[in-house]
């Protein structure tokens, strides 16, 4: 969890949301952020690694906001299936950073995964050579987030 009002850089390894990311994901983010800075684009971490407890809190809040577990699942995964809990996902802002990553992220293996979450990126090393895979419309289409999915084990 990132405390309210705190601006976090992808380089801020003192914050668990960054420090607990998969090291390969963190390295790719560092390289991309360094290159983006040359275009005056600064990456901010809106969310990175999350504890299982925090992920479940987010899910409960989403059910309250969206009115059902089915609709909430379009936006928030369970703790067992969340790429954030495993340290394999990061949410980046502001808009110019997400736009920059959407255009250049594949070169670092950083891909948008969900069509409804332009801020959500995961590491896909094969994207460096082959481009990012097609996006899922939302997490309910991702086989890793289905109720019968095994615990999250990293990128597909």
């Amino acid at each position: 969890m990132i405390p309210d009002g705190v601006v976090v850089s992808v380089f801020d390894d003192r914050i668990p949301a960054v420090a607990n990311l998969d090291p390969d994901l963190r390295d790719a983010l560092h390289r991309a952020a360094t290159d983006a800075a040359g275009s005056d684009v600064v990456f901010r971490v809106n969310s990175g690694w999350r504890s299982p407890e925090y992920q479940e809190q987010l899910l409960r809040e989403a059910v309250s906001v969206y009115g059902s577990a089915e609709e909430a699942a379009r936006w928030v995964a369970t703790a067992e299936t969340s790429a954030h809990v495993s340290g394999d996902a990061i949410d980046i802002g502001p808009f110019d950073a997400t736009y920059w990553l959407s255009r250049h992220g594949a070169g670092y293996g950083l891909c948008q995964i969900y069509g409804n979450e332009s801020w959500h990126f995961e590491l896909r090393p094969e994207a460096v050579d082959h481009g990012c895979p097609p996006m899922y419309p939302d997490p309910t289409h991702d086989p890793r987030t289905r109720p019968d999915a095994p615990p999250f084990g990293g990128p597909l």
Side-chain angles (χ1 to χ4, degrees), residues 124-144:
R124 297 290 187 269
E126 67 280 1
V128 172
D129 295 323
H130 305 290
C132 290
M135 286 186 264
Y136 297 109
D138 64 53
T140 63
H141 293 84
D142 185 342
R144 301 171 303 167

Side-chain angles (χ1 to χ4, degrees), residues 7-144:
V7 176
V8 176
S9 161
V10 296
F11 299 102
D12 195 346
D13 292 339
R14 298 170 295 144
I15 303 290
V18 176
N20 292 341
L21 290 173
D22 173 83
D24 293 331
L25 172 59
R26 201 170 52 243
D27 179 63
L29 286 164
H30 288 177
R31 288 184 286 110
T34 298
D35 290 349
S39 299
D40 294 323
V41 174
V42 177
F43 292 7
R44 297 288 182 232
V45 178
N46 293 331
S47 188
W49 172 83
R50 299 175 186 156
S51 70
E53 297 79 18
Y54 182 55
Q55 186 69 28
E56 287 301 324
Q57 175 188 333
L58 292 174
L59 183 56
R60 286 190 303 274
E61 291 170 0
V63 169
S64 178
V65 168
Y66 295 109
S68 71
E70 293 76 24
E71 188 60 23
R74 294 185 62 233
W75 302 99
V76 182
T78 66
E80 295 80 23
T81 62
S82 171
H84 284 282
V85 172
S86 64
D88 293 303
I90 191 158
D91 295 346
I92 293 292
F95 174 79
D96 61 335
T98 59
Y99 180 73
W100 191 95
L101 266 180
S102 73
R103 297 194 56 193
H104 305 286
Y108 305 88
L110 297 169
C111 296
Q112 290 175 302
I113 303 302
Y114 305 122
N116 70 329
E117 295 185 9
S118 61
W119 54 85
H120 180 100
F121 290 85
E122 297 180 22
L123 183 65
R124 297 290 187 269
E126 67 280 1
V128 172
D129 295 323
H130 305 290
C132 290
M135 286 186 264
Y136 297 109
D138 64 53
T140 63
H141 293 84
D142 185 342
R144 301 171 303 167

